[in-house]
Each structure stands twice: as C-alpha cells, then as structure tokens.
Amino acid sequence: MSSPISPGLIRSTLCQFLGSEASGGLVLMAVAIAAIVTANSPLAEGYFHALHVYLGPLSLLHWINDALMALFFLLVGLEIKREMLDGQLSSWSRRILPGAAALGGMVFPALFYILFNWENPAALRGWAIPTATDIAFALGVISLFGPRVPASLKIFLAALAIIDDLGAVVIIALFYTSDLNLLALAGAAAVLAALYGMNRNKILKLWPYLLLGAALWVLVFASGIHATLAGVLLALTIPLKVTPGTPEASHEQSPLHHLEHILYKPVTFVVVPIFGFANAGVSFSGVSTATLTEPFTLGVAAGLLLGKLVGILGIVFILVKLGLADLPAKASWGQMTGVAALCGIGFTMSLFIGLLAFDDPNVQDYVKMGILLGSLLSGLVGAAMLATFKRRL
C-alpha cells in the first residue's frame, strides 16, 4: 500500500515551482492553451460574453487591461529602475550589447511587419506589435536547459528583455495615446511632482507612494494616455536607497526592493495569467488558409520569428566582429542564435500593443493568430538551437 503524500512535501514542491525561473513562463503557456481551448469549446459564448460585462464604468476586459495590468507595468518599471541604477545595466559597458541588440530587435520586426502590410495604410498602425519580447516566456524556456546554457547568456537575455520592455513603454506613450485631456494631464503631472518630492525628501514608507499612485492612475486614465503607464511613472519615483547610517542600510532593504518582492508572485502568477486568459482566446471556427496568409497575420508572425532573429543576431555579430563588445562568456554562436530566436516570443506585450492598435475584433483575431504562430515557431526554433549547440569551454 503506497504511503500518502505529506502536506509538507506538497508545500515544498509548490514553493520550489513558484521560485523557479521557468514557472512564470510555464503558467503563462498553460493559461494561453486554456484560453484557446475555451474559445473553441461550448463555453466560448460565455467566455466572450463575460469579458464584455460592465462592472461600474468599465467592462471586465477593460478592468483587466487598463487597471490590473497597471500592476504589471509597475513591476516592469521597478525592474528597469533597479537594473539601470544597481544591476546588470548600471554602466554603459554593460548596456551596449543588450541595448544595441534590443534596438535591432525592435527595428527589424517593425520592418518585416511593414513589408507585409505597406499597401494597407490602416494596417501600418500595428507596426509595433512584433517589437516586444515576453520576458517570462523567454526566460522560462531558456531556464529549462539548466547549466547547458551559461549564466552570462541568461543575464544577456534578461537585460535585453528589460530594455525591450522600456522601448515598448516609450512606444505606447508616443504612438498609442488618444486625444489628450489637458486638465487631467496637468493633475497627473502635479501628482507625479508630489511623488518626486517625496523621493527627494527621503520618505521611505510605501503607503504614501501607493496612495498617490492610485490617484495618478485615475488621472492618467482620464487624460487619454494609456492608464497602465501610470505604473511605470510610479515605479520611477519609488526610492532605491535607504537612509545612510541606519542599521543594515543597503539597497536590499529599500522600498523599491520591498515593493518588487511584494508584487513579483501576484503579478507573475495572477495578473499576467488573467491577462493572458482574457486576451489569448482565439476562435478557430473561421480560420482557413486565407486567414493564415492574411498580411496582418504574416506580418506579425514574420516580425517575431525573422525580425527578432535577424535584428538581434545581426547587431551582436557586427559589434563582436568590430571589437566593440564580447560575446557573453562561454556562450557559442549557436546558443546566441537560439537566444535571438527566443526573443521572438512576444506574447504579453505584443498582445497588449495589438489591442491598443486595433479596435476591430476581426483584425484583433488576425493579430492574435500572428502572435501565437510567431511566438510558437520562435520558441521551437530557439529551443532546438539551444538543445543542439553546446556552451564554449
């Protein structure tokens, strides 16, 4: 007779899973599959109807995409600030290779998308969709290979994805902002100034920042700028340093680290999966060869698969051959190719930009199909390359 599984073992296994690099990507993958299955099952009508039920001033889908995702952008902003000031991107020598690669990985996907859609001016609004990398998915896949992939290459991927996120935030602010409400925008600027003032005056308690952050979200939402950007703006005001001379004074005890620690698991295992489940559902009922060859679909898929690969690998090759940067320690060119391909997994941010770019549900379905196709192929190509090529000794 087999012995029962102890609760302690279950808790230990769950803690190990939640703490692993791969877990966020694996959960997101499972949620995406669940959304697609639901959208193509007898539950489809209820699934799509529930997303458009209004809860107060907004539909459930808008609460998820505009409010809940502000927490995701807050975490992204905290990660960007920490890495820029006290991490892998804290000096120009550390920024040049992932920074230049991230730039190439945004420009070339946009060019591929434009190449497929240049005859349709309305479609060009979606040029930024394939420019984003999903850091959870990409790091999840690369972590499955363990020590086979050198730590330097994982750091390079994380740094590139963080700079990529910063680029996506700038793109959203500049190109996907509707008509501005100047009064609300002035109010948001005043709140942001107050947050900056608290930082300069070394106020280290989190609750005043979060309270003003909620007001900032309301004002940014009313201003016409996408409300999730309030999360990034709030993050930039959260103090990274603690008061010198205090016991155990270090960055690890800073409000920024504390808030990042609080947000990481809820955002990774609740917020992003909810967003993924709400937005990844694509019905295949009307899918045909024509759908898969639609310029929207091909442009997004080619941008993710080919644009990311060409842009990132090409820039890295040029910088290394010119002696301006070194290949990450112990990484082979085959492994670098695999990482460049993995950056074509553009799930979360690509979906987000796609929803901002197009209101037409049919076009959104084409875009989602392109994101799913491009991300799947990028993940398979990247994983195959990492499985085939070994690290340098």
Side-chain angles (χ1 to χ4, degrees):
M1 181 176 178
S2 60
S3 58
I5 300 175
S6 70
L9 178 60
I10 294 174
R11 285 195 299 271
S12 176
T13 303
L14 180 61
C15 288
Q16 288 178 6
F17 174 77
L18 294 178
S20 72
E21 289 179 331
S23 55
L26 293 175
V27 169
L28 195 52
M29 193 181 304
V31 165
I33 294 171
I36 293 170
V37 170
T38 303
N40 293 277
S41 73
L43 300 174
E45 185 177 351
Y47 166 78
F48 289 113
H49 174 74
L51 292 174
H52 294 91
V53 170
Y54 269 75
L55 303 173
L58 300 174
S59 68
L60 177 60
L61 186 62
H62 278 103
W63 277 117
I64 293 170
N65 293 348
D66 290 357
L68 201 58
M69 282 296 284
L71 296 175
F72 167 77
F73 277 84
L74 173 57
L75 181 61
V76 167
L78 293 172
E79 291 175 343
I80 290 171
K81 180 174 180 176
R82 173 174 51 78
E83 292 295 337
M84 287 289 188
L85 297 181
D86 189 37
Q88 293 301 322
L89 302 173
S90 59
S91 66
W92 284 109
S93 61
R94 291 180 175 183
R95 294 171 191 164
I96 183 170
L97 188 64
L103 181 61
M106 288 186 280
V107 171
F108 279 85
L111 292 177
F112 271 91
Y113 179 88
I114 292 170
L115 180 66
F116 280 92
N117 291 278
W118 68 275
E119 292 182 336
N120 182 357
L124 295 180
R125 182 169 168 76
W127 65 270
I129 296 169
T131 63
T133 294
D134 191 300
I135 188 170
F137 256 131
L139 287 176
V141 173
I142 199 173
S143 67
L144 296 176
F145 291 90
R148 183 183 183 89
V149 178
S152 62
L153 203 54
K154 296 177 184 178
I155 292 171
F156 168 81
L157 175 59
L160 187 153
I162 288 169
I163 296 172
D164 192 288
D165 280 344
L166 177 59
V169 169
V170 172
I171 287 170
I172 291 170
L174 294 179
F175 298 100
Y176 296 102
T177 295
S178 57
D179 295 335
L180 295 179
N181 180 326
L182 296 181
L183 184 62
L185 194 61
V191 172
L192 190 60
L195 286 164
Y196 176 74
M198 290 196 305
N199 182 299
R200 295 290 294 175
N201 285 287
K202 297 182 173 56
I203 294 176
L204 300 179
K205 290 188 179 297
L206 274 174
W207 69 264
Y209 291 94
L210 298 180
L211 188 63
L212 284 181
L216 181 65
W217 180 89
V218 172
L219 290 165
V220 171
F221 178 81
S223 74
I225 298 174
H226 202 274
T228 50
L229 295 182
V232 178
L233 295 174
L234 172 61
L236 297 180
T237 68
I238 303 295
L240 176 62
K241 297 181 179 180
V242 296
T243 304
T246 56
E248 298 182 343
S250 72
H251 287 180
E252 282 67 30
Q253 280 77 45
S254 72
L256 187 147
H257 277 85
H258 184 50
L259 183 57
E260 191 176 3
H261 179 73
I262 291 171
L263 288 175
Y264 177 75
K265 287 183 180 177
V267 169
T268 303
F269 299 109
V270 180
V271 172
V272 173
I274 288 175
F275 171 83
F277 185 76
N279 291 283
V282 180
S283 175
F284 295 145
S285 59
V287 172
S288 62
T289 305
T291 304
L292 297 177
T293 56
E294 172 68 33
F296 285 107
T297 307
L298 289 177
V300 172
L304 289 171
L305 176 62
L306 301 177
K308 284 289 185 181
L309 184 59
V310 172
I312 293 171
L313 190 62
I315 292 294
V316 170
F317 181 81
I318 291 171
L319 289 179
V320 171
K321 292 304 178 183
L322 290 177
L324 299 175
D326 296 322
L327 203 62
K330 298 185 179 179
S332 66
W333 278 108
Q335 289 182 320
M336 176 58 74
T337 303
V339 165
L342 285 185
C343 289
I345 302 175
F347 189 77
T348 306
M349 199 70 85
S350 290
L351 279 175
F352 192 83
I353 295 174
L355 295 172
L356 293 179
F358 301 109
D359 295 325
D360 186 337
N362 292 324
V363 175
Q364 288 180 354
D365 281 348
Y366 290 141
V367 168
K368 290 177 183 179
M369 191 70 68
I371 292 170
L372 294 173
L373 182 61
S375 296
L376 177 61
L377 292 175
S378 296
L380 291 175
V381 170
M385 295 295 291
L386 292 175
T388 302
F389 293 94
K390 297 180 180 179
R391 57 192 285 168
R392 287 184 293 140
L393 299 177

